[in-house]
Amino acid sequence: MFISPMLLETANGPFSDSRYIFEPKIDGHRLIYSQQNGIVRLYTRHNNDCTRQYPEITSAMFPHDIVLDGEIACVDPTNGVSDFESVMSRFQAKKADKIARLTTELPATFVVFDVLSYKGEDLRSLPLMERKSLLASLTLPSPSFGVVPYIEGSGEALFEQIEARGMEGVVAKRKDSVYVSRRSTSWQKIINWSYADVYITGYRKAEFGWLVSVPNERGNLRPAGIIEHGASPTHKKAFYGVVAPLKTNEDREFVYVEPRIRARVKMRNWTKAGNLRIPVFTEFIV
C-alpha cells in the first residue's frame, strides 16, 4: 500500500524551539515500506516500486501489517555517514546478479522516522510524538533496519554537530504535527550547504542552465556541472545582457563562452567525480 509522503518546506536557517523535534537529515532516498498480508512492497516518494532493488529490506518481516516512512541509506563505515552516490548505485541496479553483488558490497539500511499504519489502523491523524512512541516500541526485524534519532528543542546544537561531521542537514518537525501527503511547514529542512566559486563557461539554448567550470590542481579549468536553480529573472537578464561578445562556439544544445563571468554557488557536496551536486546560484562575483 503506497501512501504519498509528507514533504518538507525549507527553513531560513538553524533554529531551536521547544515545540519541535530535530532529526539528522539522512542523505539517501525516501522510501515507503508497506507490509500487507505477508507481502512487502517498497516505494519511492513518486510511487515507483523499488522492491527488488533491496532484498535485504524486503526479506525481513514484521509480525503485523505495517506502513513505514524513512530513507534508504548506504553508510560509509569510515565516517558513519550515508553516501548518496552509493544509494543511487543501489537504486539504479536492475539486473539480478548486480543487485545480489551490491547487496554485499554496498549494503542498504532502511532508516525509519515514522509509522503511518499498524495492524490495519491508519495512524496519520495522530500527533507526531504518539507515532514516534509507537515506532520506538517496535522490534525491528533485522540489522538492515534502523530508527532516526531525534532531540527535542535544541535544533541549533544539533546543526553544529551535523556541520562538524559533514552531514546533509537537519529536519525540524512539530511535535503535534499530523501526517499529510503534501508539503507542509510543520516539517522543515535546514541544509548544510557547501559553497564554491565557479566560472560560467556556457549556457543552454532551450531551458535554463549555465555550464560551470572550476580550476584543477594545475590551475586549468575543468567542467564541474550545470546551474539550474537559484538565478532570478534579474540575474538572468544581467547575464544575457553581457554574454554575447564572449561566445566562442556552440552545438545543438549549448552556447560556449569565454570564462570571464564568475559566480558563487551553494551545493549539497562534491561528487566523487569532482562535480557540484545540485548547485544553486547565489550571486555573481564582480
Side-chain angles (χ1 to χ4, degrees):
M1 178 175 68
F2 173 73
I3 294 176
S4 186
M6 187 165 175
L7 302 178
L8 308 168
E9 291 285 3
T10 301
N12 292 328
F15 66 95
S16 298
D17 191 318
S18 61
R19 297 171 298 174
Y20 286 78
I21 63 168
F22 296 87
E23 303 170 338
K25 192 174 188 304
I26 307 301
D27 200 3
H29 80 73
R30 194 75 171 267
L31 189 83
I32 301 295
Y33 172 102
S34 172
Q35 180 184 315
Q36 306 292 314
N37 300 317
I39 298 173
V40 174
R41 288 286 183 269
L42 308 181
Y43 303 95
T44 70
R45 59 176 281 189
H46 298 296
N47 197 14
N48 295 313
D49 191 306
C50 57
T51 305
R52 65 191 300 268
Q53 278 98 317
Y54 305 108
E56 65 268 61
I57 309 300
T58 56
S59 62
M61 301 281 288
F62 288 87
H64 306 286
D65 287 358
I66 194 167
V67 179
L68 300 168
D69 189 4
E71 291 270 337
I72 286 289
C74 288
V75 177
D76 184 335
T78 64
N79 58 17
V81 176
S82 181
D83 179 70
F84 184 75
E85 291 182 69
S86 296
V87 173
M88 287 298 97
S89 294
R90 289 297 311 268
F91 176 70
Q92 293 165 358
K94 304 300 181 186
K95 296 182 178 179
D97 58 340
K98 185 173 184 179
I99 291 171
R101 175 171 57 80
L102 290 178
T103 301
T104 300
E105 294 178 0
L106 297 173
T109 301
F110 178 40
V111 192
V112 186
F113 51 69
D114 216 328
V115 52
L116 312 185
S117 176
Y118 184 60
K119 296 183 180 180
E121 180 182 357
D122 189 338
L123 306 178
R124 287 176 287 175
S125 62
L126 295 178
L128 173 65
M129 297 313 289
E130 290 188 32
R131 303 196 307 273
K132 286 286 192 183
S133 179
L134 174 59
L135 178 59
S137 73
L138 297 177
T139 299
L140 301 179
S142 85
S144 295
F145 287 69
V147 174
V148 176
Y150 67 84
I151 61 172
E152 299 186 33
S154 302
E156 290 159 303
L158 177 60
F159 191 82
E160 287 180 6
Q161 296 180 36
I162 294 297
E163 277 189 307
R165 295 190 62 188
M167 296 175 68
E168 189 185 15
V170 167
V171 175
K173 298 177 179 178
R174 281 191 66 106
K175 295 177 180 179
D176 59 356
S177 59
V178 298
Y179 193 97
V180 293
S181 293
R182 56 178 169 78
R183 200 169 297 280
S184 171
T185 55
S186 293
W187 288 16
Q188 300 183 48
K189 59 185 174 184
I190 304 100
I191 301 299
N192 178 25
W193 295 105
S194 297
Y195 291 84
D197 295 340
V198 301
Y199 291 87
I200 299 177
T201 52
Y203 58 91
R204 280 201 189 110
K205 292 181 175 180
E207 71 273 17
F208 173 71
W210 290 339
L211 293 171
V212 296
S213 296
V214 295
N216 62 19
E217 59 277 1
R218 287 175 289 188
N220 301 317
L221 292 182
R222 62 168 183 81
I226 185 164
I227 298 173
E228 297 177 316
H229 308 285
S232 69
T234 300
H235 292 129
K236 294 175 185 178
K237 183 179 179 180
F239 174 81
Y240 294 114
V242 301
V243 75
L246 303 179
K247 177 181 172 181
T248 60
N249 202 352
E250 64 180 286
D251 55 28
R252 265 177 52 179
E253 187 176 1
F254 293 100
V255 174
Y256 301 96
V257 301
E258 295 178 29
R260 300 281 188 86
I261 301 173
R262 297 182 69 204
R264 168 155 281 207
V265 298
K266 61 182 182 180
M267 58 180 173
R268 297 298 179 92
N269 57 280
W270 293 95
T271 70
K272 292 175 182 175
N275 291 323
L276 308 161
R277 181 180 161 206
I278 317 178
V280 178
F281 173 89
T282 62
E283 62 183 340
F284 289 116
I285 299 173
V286 180

